[in-house]
Amino acid sequence: MKFLVITYGCQMNVRDSEAVSALLARQGYTTAEGEADADIILINTCSVRGKAEAKALGKLGLLVADSRRHHPKRIIGVMGCMVQRLGTELFKKVPGLGFAIGTHAMSRLPRVLQDVFEGKAPVLDTDEGDDCEALTGHVEGKLSAYVNVLLGCDRRCTYCIVPTVRGQEWSRPAESVVAEVRELVAQGVCEVTLLGQSVMNYGRRNAVWPDGSVSPGGYETPFPRLLEAVDAVEGIQRVRFTSGHPSGCTAELVRAMVELPAVCEHLHIPCQSGSDLILERMRRGYTADQFKAAAGALQAALPGVALSTDIIVGFPGETEEDFDRTRAFMEEIGFDNAFIFKYSPRSGTPAAEWPDDVPDEEKKRRNQLLLGDQARRVEAINDALIGAQLEVLVEGPSLRNAARWSGRTRTNKVAVFDPVAGVARGECVTVVVERVTATTLYGKVS
Ligand code: SAH
Ligand code: SF4
Ligand code: F3S
């Protein structure tokens, strides 16, 4: 039987989709080329904004209708955050679904499918139970991979549904993280991204190191120690992690980023707003100045570090003045990249009880303004890179022009260059930047 997984949502969902695909492949299923030849289509869903759910629900409706007409035996399933949030309601919203599995049920998918084959559809599994250990996934031929280190989230940002759908924070034992990275390297991976909603909280809730172990680098807190252990895996060329939070940007974390050769000068650290009033109502746990201090410490210690961020515009009560603070704040920090979201009330969160008082048109306007600012900012940042020599991890022929090759810098920028003899995919080369656009650096191997 052939399956297809379609993914919405964040990197955690990308990772989960890879894990579920690997699991199905081990069970003897094969990958479909597209929707037309798939016997099972599984949609991995996100609940973070209303739009994300609407998109998945729309897609599911179309798939069910198409299957009824043209592929009556095809099974349509759903997984991920929206399943955890909606439960059986999902079957009312989309009649005709075969099954739905929540965020803690992936390893039980074969059993769920068995039930469907026995005629028990629709089958729902939103039970608890951690299956992260048992399930890792790697897409053959890929140079980079996501590795879960911290599941769930213990923060309670007032707008956010993630803690509800992903559960309590739980850190994987360091040994199994390192074992997975070793395994990935053996399969040809040279870059890993360690994943956690607030990844620097790693090891705060549960013990992650065997008793008595000592970090050779003298790191005391669990996350820098984990970075050191992953950096030490033979053959790993690059280590990234996401998402950051100012509280985790300790002197030790900064030292780890400076000292550990594979750890890249790049961090996604969502600030959400530059207004203290809004930050407090969002319950983010920092002020704009504290965020600036954290970003400043990274920028001072790691010249050229690229910081990216997330911003929410139109949070309840956000005035023009609050918004202006955010604009100025983003300029002051000089983010390399920013994902801007219009606030979307999520039922069950504290902020959903407050009036959603910024009209959609105004949210749109603020969104556009920040996008414009960001485009200008990145242009200036990239312009300043002309003439720089940057380490690029070679990925292979460029998508746009196969005669040229592309790769990524340590700061996660795409670099395009002419291939040279003896340089292979998965190797690092030095590229001298000659020309830039907002999204790409062009140059030649030095
Ligand atoms: N754990 C990460 C963020 C995960 S959700 C962190 O806190 O750093 C990804 C992004 O979605 C958030 O950073 C936020 O900008 C956005 N987001 C979350 N809830 C939202 C909502 N209700 N409306 C609009 N954007 C939201
Ligand atoms: Fe949501 Fe806040 Fe947790 Fe991020 S840290 S997942 S925004 S509750
Ligand atoms: Fe990620 Fe969306 Fe779930 S952001 S954790 S897929 S709600």
Side-chain angles (χ1 to χ4, degrees):
M1 278 187 119
K2 291 187 178 176
F3 71 92
L4 179 73
V5 182
I6 300 173
T7 309
Y8 299 105
C10 66
Q11 287 126 321
M12 281 193 181
N13 269 14
V14 173
R15 192 221 76 100
D16 288 350
S17 291
E18 288 175 356
V20 135
S21 302
L23 171 73
L24 290 176
R26 281 196 296 275
Q27 299 277 318
Y29 296 88
T30 52
T31 321
E33 305 228 331
E35 289 172 17
D37 68 326
D39 304 299
I40 303 170
I41 301 182
L42 180 50
I43 307 273
N44 196 356
T45 57
C46 172
S47 284
V48 84
R49 283 168 291 276
K51 237 185 176 171
E53 288 198 346
K55 216 162 145 188
L57 287 169
K59 181 73 185 168
L60 284 167
L62 288 175
L63 283 173
V64 167
D66 177 67
S67 301
R68 275 212 183 108
R69 222 169 297 138
H70 306 294
H71 309 272
K73 285 202 178 136
R74 185 158 77 188
I75 300 165
I76 306 294
V78 201
M79 65 184 273
C81 297
M82 191 171 74
V83 178
Q84 204 65 32
R85 195 176 87 78
L86 295 176
T88 45
E89 209 187 314
L90 199 53
F91 296 140
K92 284 187 209 134
K93 283 187 188 281
V94 191
L97 286 179
F99 66 92
I101 57 171
T103 51
H104 309 276
M106 281 190 303
S107 62
R108 296 189 293 273
L109 177 59
R111 218 176 62 202
V112 167
L113 279 172
Q114 197 53 44
D115 284 350
V116 175
F117 295 140
E118 286 168 12
K120 295 183 188 149
V123 183
L124 177 74
D125 184 345
T126 47
D127 293 348
E128 298 283 313
D130 258 316
D131 50 12
C132 164
E133 295 298 305
L135 277 188
T136 57
H138 167 59
V139 180
E140 228 181 270
K142 264 194 163 177
L143 295 177
S144 80
Y146 292 123
V147 176
N148 270 342
V149 302
L150 181 81
L151 307 177
C153 184
D154 274 359
R155 292 189 201 278
R156 290 288 178 275
C157 303
T158 51
Y159 51 82
C160 186
I161 197 72
V162 171
T164 314
V165 292
R166 286 276 175 174
Q168 276 189 344
E169 228 173 69
W170 185 80
S171 301
R172 284 178 73 188
E175 270 178 17
S176 48
V177 173
V178 172
E180 183 177 345
V181 174
R182 271 205 206 99
E183 180 63 26
L184 288 166
V185 169
Q187 291 170 8
V189 164
C190 19
E191 173 180 274
V192 288
T193 302
L194 310 179
L195 296 181
Q197 292 298 347
S198 216
V199 72
M200 295 145 169
N201 276 3
Y202 177 74
R204 283 212 321 199
R205 183 186 269 276
N206 55 301
V208 286
W209 298 94
D211 291 344
S213 70
V214 175
S215 149
Y219 300 107
E220 285 174 13
T221 33
F223 187 64
R225 287 179 69 167
L226 181 73
L227 283 179
E228 184 187 24
V230 171
D231 177 88
V233 170
E234 179 99 22
I236 194 75
Q237 301 198 47
R238 287 180 171 183
V239 179
R240 304 183 192 275
F241 49 97
T242 192
S243 294
H245 186 278
S247 62
C249 297
T250 58
E252 204 170 78
L253 186 273
V254 176
R255 179 163 75 86
M257 290 184 77
V258 171
E259 288 177 352
L260 302 171
V263 175
C264 291
E265 298 75 38
H266 162 226
L267 182 63
H268 183 67
I269 180 162
C271 68
Q272 316 296 0
S273 170
S275 153
D276 284 345
L277 217 82
I278 298 292
L279 286 171
E280 198 184 329
R281 291 220 299 274
M282 287 178 162
R283 213 190 284 151
R284 284 293 291 176
Y286 52 80
T287 60
D289 279 345
Q290 283 168 334
F291 190 101
K292 251 182 254 172
L298 291 166
Q299 288 166 328
L302 298 156
V305 66
L307 301 178
S308 57
T309 201
D310 292 341
I311 302 278
I312 296 175
V313 291
F315 188 73
E318 187 189 63
T319 61
E320 192 66 28
E321 212 183 353
D322 293 316
F323 174 68
D324 285 342
R325 288 211 175 94
T326 300
R327 275 187 98 174
F329 179 80
M330 290 178 74
E331 187 58 39
E332 211 174 316
I333 303 233
F335 289 109
D336 254 76
N337 199 359
F339 300 88
I340 326 253
F341 305 109
K342 291 190 292 173
Y343 169 69
S344 162
R346 308 311 293 135
S347 94
T349 62
E353 305 296 317
W354 309 332
D356 181 12
D357 54 3
V358 179
D360 196 53
E361 274 308 307
E362 181 58 19
K363 285 182 187 164
K364 239 184 241 164
R365 189 186 72 90
R366 293 180 188 180
N367 189 347
Q368 289 304 321
L369 280 172
L370 293 189
L371 285 175
D373 288 353
Q374 187 57 40
R376 279 189 294 278
R377 193 174 306 123
V378 74
E379 215 166 279
I381 291 174
N382 286 355
D383 271 351
L385 290 174
I386 292 175
Q389 302 198 2
L390 302 175
E391 180 198 291
V392 172
L393 177 67
V394 179
E395 286 168 14
S398 151
L399 284 179
R400 287 249 182 102
N401 175 358
R404 305 200 85 191
W405 278 29
S406 80
R408 273 177 195 269
T409 65
R410 291 174 64 92
T411 51
N412 212 29
K413 289 176 188 285
V414 175
V416 171
F417 51 92
D418 287 324
V420 291
V423 171
R425 207 168 162 263
E427 279 178 14
C428 284
V429 294
T430 302
V431 169
V432 185
V433 181
E434 295 174 328
R435 187 167 67 81
V436 299
T437 66
T439 54
T440 314
L441 313 176
Y442 296 88
K444 61 168 187 274
V445 176
S446 77

